[in-house]
Amino acid sequence: MTTAIDTARMARIKEIVCEILELEEDEVTATSLFSEDHDADSLRAIEILASLEKAFGVVINQTELTRMVNLAGVYEVVTEAVNAR
C-alpha cells in the first residue's frame, strides 16, 4: 500500500533525478533507463546517489548503483535505506 509519505518521497526522488539529468519530469518514467534512454553517465549516477543521501538523510552504498538504473530501482533503494535508519 502506498502512503502519502511514499508518494511524497517518490515525487521528491523524481524531482532530484530530473534535475540532475536535466530532463523534464514527463520525460522520465519509472522504467526508462537513465543511461540508455537519457544518456546519463556514471558521474551523474553518483551525483544522484549523493543528492538522495542528502535529501533523505540516509547512507546508500555505492554498490546499490547497479540497481539504480531507473526510477523504480531508485525508489526501491531509497525506501530500503530510509526503512533501515
Side-chain angles (χ1 to χ4, degrees), residues 28-39:
V28 180
T29 67
T31 57
S32 61
L33 300 172
F34 298 151
S35 59
E36 288 85 346
D37 299 328
H38 304 299
D39 296 322

Side-chain angles (χ1 to χ4, degrees), residues 18-84:
C18 290
E19 185 177 307
I20 291 169
L21 297 182
E22 299 175 3
L23 297 168
E24 296 298 320
E25 290 196 19
D26 62 351
E27 293 179 79
V28 180
T29 67
T31 57
S32 61
L33 300 172
F34 298 151
S35 59
E36 288 85 346
D37 299 328
H38 304 299
D39 296 322
D41 58 15
S42 58
L43 187 59
R44 298 274 178 153
I46 291 170
E47 201 176 333
I48 289 169
L49 185 141
S51 294
L52 292 169
E53 287 181 327
K54 185 175 180 183
F56 295 100
V58 295
V59 175
I60 301 170
N61 192 307
Q62 284 196 9
T63 59
E64 296 294 352
L65 286 171
T66 58
R67 294 173 53 206
M68 298 171 64
V69 295
N70 57 26
L71 279 177
V74 174
Y75 294 150
E76 199 174 281
V77 169
V78 171
T79 298
E80 288 170 9
V82 168
N83 292 340

